[in-house]
């Protein structure tokens, strides 16, 4: 990276974002040494303007920010650092410095998709997902149908807990089927997004 530390008297702002939930957790500042230590250690280190020293986030609380990726902006004077936080980020005890809960459960679908895609590539022995892929498209499609029926039954005559349970099974097996055909859950999301447009017309 070719960061410009001169614009702000030796500092650059660093936006800290959760790599899984995409929530912005906090904003800090880094000088060149803090940036170097962050890259070398894999834990986010800032330069404290109030204490006039380097400080690694979590050095006292243990709530470290484990680096996943670091990117600079188009002007080379701001960093976006994606992390896996080891605990609450704010000194007040909240998940973010804006008092938000650091959760976006719907984004777990991408994590699940990535996991299933790796299973499809690696095909490890003893994996249920591997056994589904090896069973063939017809069997996978049949399994989706079975889960869909079970979801409908729970919706009509079952309990809410079982509806959620069977619906999750349905979604998992659908992602497996999509993956076997070379698609991802994001392809369904794009299709739904297009349908939401005022210009969309049914095929």
């Amino acid at each position: 990276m070719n960061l410009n530390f001169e614009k702000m008297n030796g500092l650059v702002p660093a936006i800290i974002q959760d790599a899984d939930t995409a929530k912005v957790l906090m904003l800090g500042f880094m000088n060149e040494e803090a940036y170097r230590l962050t890259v070398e250690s894999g834990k986010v280190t800032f330069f404290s303007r109030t204490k006039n020293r380097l400080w690694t986030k979590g050095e006292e609380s243990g709530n470290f920010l484990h680096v996943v990726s670091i990117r600079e902006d188009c002007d080379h004077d701001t960093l976006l650092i994606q992390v896996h936080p080891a605990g609450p980020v704010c000194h007040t005890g909240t998940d973010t410095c804006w008092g938000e809960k650091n959760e976006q459960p719907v984004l777990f679908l991408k994590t699940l998709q990535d996991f299933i895609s790796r299973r499809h590539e690696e095909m490890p022995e003893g994996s249920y997902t591997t056994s589904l892929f090896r069973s063939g498209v017809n069997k996978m499609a049949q399994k989706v149908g079975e889960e869909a029926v079970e979801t409908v039954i729970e919706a009509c005559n079952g309990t809410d807990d079982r509806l959620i349970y069977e619906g999750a099974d349905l979604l998992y097996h659908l992602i497996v089927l999509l993956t076997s055909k070379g698609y991802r859950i994001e392809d369904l999301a794009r299709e739904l997004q297009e349908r939401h447009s005022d210009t969309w017309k049914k095929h």
Side-chain angles (χ1 to χ4, degrees):
M1 290 188 184
N2 186 27
L3 290 169
N4 186 345
F5 287 93
E6 296 179 2
K7 283 187 180 180
M8 294 184 62
N9 300 316
L11 299 176
V12 295
I15 300 165
I16 309 301
Q17 181 185 45
D18 190 293
D20 294 330
T21 67
K23 281 281 189 181
V24 174
L25 304 176
M26 66 172 294
L27 172 70
F29 290 86
M30 292 183 176
N31 59 10
E32 291 189 62
E33 188 177 2
Y35 171 72
R36 178 180 58 79
L37 287 172
T38 296
V39 172
E40 291 177 356
S41 69
K43 297 175 181 177
V44 175
T45 296
F46 297 107
F47 179 81
S48 172
R49 295 169 297 167
T50 54
K51 298 177 182 177
N52 196 35
R53 68 169 179 87
L54 298 177
W55 65 284
T56 298
K57 180 66 177 173
E59 61 187 19
E60 295 180 359
S61 66
N63 297 333
F64 295 104
L65 299 173
H66 299 283
V67 176
V68 174
S69 68
I70 302 177
R71 284 181 284 176
E72 60 182 327
D73 75 339
C74 56
D75 292 324
H76 310 287
D77 61 3
T78 303
L79 290 169
L80 175 63
I81 303 180
Q82 292 191 318
V83 303
H84 286 146
V89 171
C90 186
H91 69 281
T92 64
T94 58
D95 289 351
T96 81
C97 287
W98 288 269
E100 298 175 296
K101 291 288 279 183
N102 183 23
E103 57 184 19
Q104 291 274 29
V106 71
L107 293 182
F108 177 73
L109 291 178
K110 181 182 182 304
T111 301
L112 178 61
Q113 173 68 78
D114 291 341
F115 173 82
I116 291 173
S117 294
R118 286 195 302 274
R119 282 288 193 259
H120 192 230
E121 293 172 3
E122 300 167 1
M123 300 290 277
E125 295 294 335
S127 163
Y128 174 67
T129 307
T130 296
S131 69
L132 287 173
F133 285 129
R134 287 180 174 164
S135 69
V137 171
N138 288 347
K139 287 288 187 181
M140 283 184 280
Q142 179 182 339
K143 189 63 177 174
V144 171
E146 292 172 358
E147 298 298 343
V149 170
E150 291 176 3
T151 301
V152 170
I153 291 172
E154 292 300 333
C156 295
N157 298 302
T159 65
D160 290 344
D161 287 345
R162 291 299 302 179
L163 170 62
I164 297 300
Y165 184 90
E166 297 298 346
D169 275 353
L170 171 59
L171 196 51
Y172 162 78
H173 286 91
L174 179 58
I175 294 175
V176 171
L177 179 61
L178 285 170
T179 303
S180 74
K181 301 289 288 184
Y183 294 102
R184 290 175 57 94
I185 191 68
E186 290 92 337
D187 293 301
L188 296 189
R190 275 188 288 271
E191 172 67 19
L192 291 170
Q193 187 176 31
E194 289 177 10
R195 293 185 187 187
H196 195 64
S197 169
D198 294 335
T199 59
W200 181 79
K201 293 183 180 179
K202 187 175 181 179
H203 298 170

